[in-house]
Amino acid sequence: MRTVRDAVFDILRRYELTTIFANPGSTEVPLLAGLPDDLRFVLGLHEGSVVGMATGWAIGRAAPALALLHAAAGLGNAVNAIATARENRVPLVVLVGQQDRRHLALEPFLAGRLTGLAGDYPVRADHPVRAQDVPGAVARAYHEAATSRGPALVVVPMDDWAAPFDGETVAAPVRLLRPAAVADADLAPLVELLAGARRPAIVSGAGVGSGWAALVALAERLGCPVYQESFGGRAGFPQDHPQYGGVLPGERDELRERLAPHDVVLAVGAPVFRQYSYVPGPLVPAGTVVALVTDDPDVAHRSPADLAYLASPEAVCARLADLVPSSGRGGAWSRTHGHSPYAGGPLRPTDVLRELAGRLPHDVALIEEAPSARPDLHALVPARTSFGFLSAAMGGLGFGLPAAVGLRMAQPDRPVVAVVGDGSALYGVQALWSAAHYRVGALFVVLANGRYAVMDGLAERHGGGKAPWPAFDEVDMGALARSLGCPAVRVETYDDLTGALDEVMPSLATRETPLLLDVAVTVER
């Protein structure tokens, strides 16, 4: 007899969802026991790491990934990672186990009150009415995740897997095409705006994806600077290009000052404009016209732009590069930063980042989760490909280590480096076991200062008195890594740092074992 489980396995094969990231619970055993050999199970030791690894896998493959969570406990533990996937616009299919449908009304042990547990972060959350609706729900989740670029959840009671599925209909299309072309007539208002601009600028964001060539062609046609959105999850423009102008400030007064020279600002794949601390006043100076191109409906609908396009950024930029007349402008806008070279004494984050930048291969995938060092990383480590800077756009911690593991699994020939703070690493440290067990050759550079340095700085600037949280310099990241099976090296001096980097970098693309560098750094003021 053909079962719901059989039908779902066929769906997973059809959409190449054959790698299952999971931390199993009892309600998932009927699905997983006797898993077919062509389906791969990847164990994570915490659900945040499970979804984080799936997120990295999806980024690396540019396609939806599959995660499996256990009822309320698993889904609850994974909510931060699900929120990060939504903000980073990463497509995920998330199956969530549930107790046996036949006695859910009695709220048995491990029955989950799952409706709304992940909030509004899933692009779809489905509770199939019948067991026979599960295969269609999984197929629809795949399409919803790919279309909306976010996590789609399907809750499956444990007895559904054994239910019969003979002669049933899968309520979802086999193929779903998403044409991305744009008509020249529709672009006419934007062409006119850009052609008439005296001092245009572009703001690039994570929504550009890997389609850099079209945006580069447009920027060179306009002869204008290209800024990176603030707090973005991915670089949107080559940061070694002479027209790259740096990262936009995250506060309105500084943003207005940066954009003051420009009469037209075109945001591509980025919201208008992401901020952090609230500062009163408008986002842009009076008289500056803002246009937006995004394929994210939420961004399009909330952005205070004068002209907005809900369309493929790559398709729009490609046509604009042909339709907009050449400005004849030239020049370089690369911003210089005054970071002094190593002068002896304890290592600073800037010392580590400078030495790292000088050795990174061009095609490196660099995952960042070191909030206090992020400005220095932007200044010292330019993203030269679309994988050259990846971060958690949501801002919650726990992304860096598991995302690096998943991305390297998806692209085993690409060098992968995660630069994380020790405070950040503690939120996803379980991923190191998965890296070691599955022989994932990523490099984890942990900037260990034994404190939440970014929070300390915020408390000082707030001026409300001493922060109540202590340092945690007793934590030994190297020992934690080794306890999870991941090799680790302690770095305390400049010679330690350069020696470790010189040893590991030549094998970064081919190594089959992970390595964590536990780098002791001082807090820069």
Side-chain angles (χ1 to χ4, degrees):
M1 180 185 67
R2 183 170 165 79
T3 65
V4 166
R5 181 175 184 258
D6 297 326
V8 168
F9 286 160
D10 287 345
I11 295 292
L12 301 184
R13 295 180 181 109
R14 175 192 298 171
Y15 298 121
E16 298 183 354
L17 296 172
T18 54
T19 297
I20 306 172
F21 295 90
N23 180 269
S26 56
T27 55
E28 294 75 63
V29 168
L31 170 67
L32 295 173
L35 197 69
D37 291 340
D38 64 327
L39 301 182
R40 180 188 186 192
F41 183 92
V42 176
L43 176 63
L45 301 188
H46 184 274
E47 291 84 358
S49 291
V50 165
V51 175
M53 288 191 294
T55 299
W57 176 269
I59 292 172
R61 289 172 56 87
L66 176 63
L68 177 65
L69 303 176
H70 173 50
L75 180 57
N77 284 340
V79 168
N80 176 51
I82 288 170
T84 295
R86 175 64 180 270
E87 194 64 36
N88 279 59
R89 301 201 66 205
V90 177
L92 301 178
V93 175
V94 183
L95 302 183
V96 183
Q98 176 60 293
Q99 249 284 8
D100 195 301
R101 187 187 291 269
R102 293 168 293 187
H103 66 162
L104 271 177
L106 300 177
E107 294 196 19
F109 182 64
L110 286 177
R113 298 184 182 183
L114 304 177
T115 301
L117 183 56
D120 293 331
Y121 290 112
V123 298
R124 178 173 173 80
D126 201 343
H127 299 253
V129 176
R130 304 182 306 148
Q132 290 73 19
D133 296 330
V134 170
V138 174
R140 178 169 179 178
Y142 174 88
H143 294 314
E144 296 270 6
T147 300
S148 302
R149 304 229 311 267
L153 272 59
V154 182
V155 176
V156 186
M158 61 191 298
D159 58 312
D160 283 8
W161 298 113
F165 196 77
D166 285 328
E168 296 286 344
T169 299
V170 175
V174 174
R175 297 177 66 201
L176 177 62
L177 302 181
R178 304 171 184 85
V182 289
D184 290 356
D186 292 334
L187 292 177
L190 185 53
V191 171
E192 181 180 2
L193 178 65
L194 294 173
R198 300 184 306 277
R199 297 179 305 278
I202 293 174
V203 176
S204 66
V208 174
S210 59
W212 278 12
L215 181 57
V216 170
L218 175 61
E220 292 175 349
R221 188 86 167 166
L222 292 171
C224 69
V226 180
Y227 302 107
Q228 171 73 29
E229 67 168 323
S230 57
F231 308 109
R234 188 169 183 168
F237 189 80
Q239 295 175 356
D240 57 350
H241 192 284
Q243 289 176 229
Y244 176 63
V247 180
L248 283 184
E251 296 184 352
R252 294 190 184 196
D253 51 351
E254 296 178 5
L255 177 65
R256 290 193 298 272
E257 180 180 355
R258 182 73 63 86
L259 297 180
H262 307 294
D263 57 337
V264 174
V265 177
L266 172 63
V268 181
V272 178
F273 289 106
R274 204 163 188 215
Q275 303 287 283
Y276 182 33
S277 300
Y278 175 73
V279 174
L283 289 170
V284 298
T288 298
V289 177
V290 176
L292 168 68
V293 178
T294 179
D295 61 358
D296 186 337
D298 287 343
V299 169
H301 296 156
R302 74 171 183 260
S303 292
D306 298 282
L307 176 63
Y309 284 83
L310 184 57
S312 162
E314 184 174 7
V316 170
C317 289
R319 288 305 300 142
L320 288 176
D322 290 335
L323 296 172
V324 174
S326 177
S327 69
R329 288 184 290 262
W333 282 268
S334 295
R335 301 174 66 82
T336 58
H337 301 268
H339 289 91
S340 58
Y342 178 68
L347 287 170
R348 304 166 299 172
T350 50
D351 300 321
V352 180
L353 296 173
R354 183 184 299 103
E355 296 301 326
L356 187 65
R359 294 167 171 81
L360 287 175
H362 183 274
D363 62 339
V364 69
L366 189 142
I367 294 90
E368 176 274 328
E369 197 171 37
S372 61
R374 183 177 300 149
D376 294 324
L377 186 144
H378 280 311
L380 294 169
V381 190
R384 292 171 289 182
T385 74
S386 63
F387 285 95
F389 175 80
L390 299 166
S391 187
M394 172 57 63
L397 302 179
F399 171 82
L401 298 185
V405 175
L407 198 155
R408 177 59 184 243
M409 293 178 78
Q411 297 200 15
D413 297 325
R414 180 184 289 274
V416 174
V417 176
V419 177
V420 300
D422 50 354
S424 302
L426 291 171
Y427 283 81
V429 68
Q430 299 90 345
L432 295 176
W433 178 89
S434 301
H437 182 82
Y438 294 104
R439 300 184 63 81
V440 177
L443 173 65
F444 308 100
V445 179
V446 178
L447 305 178
N449 54 33
R451 65 197 68 244
Y452 295 124
V454 72
M455 297 300 297
D456 294 343
L458 288 172
E460 290 179 7
R461 290 195 294 273
H462 181 264
K466 182 181 178 181
W469 49 85
F472 47 87
D473 45 18
E474 302 90 347
V475 173
D476 187 332
M477 287 303 307
L480 281 173
R482 286 186 289 271
S483 75
L484 292 165
C486 176
V489 173
R490 177 68 171 176
V491 173
E492 295 183 335
T493 69
Y494 183 76
D495 289 341
D496 289 345
L497 174 66
T498 55
L501 292 177
D502 286 341
E503 181 177 351
V504 71
M505 282 298 166
S507 64
L508 198 57
T510 58
R511 61 182 297 117
E512 294 183 354
T513 56
L515 177 65
L516 183 141
L517 298 184
D518 179 21
V519 187
V521 295
T522 187
V523 178
E524 293 185 279
R525 297 297 187 193

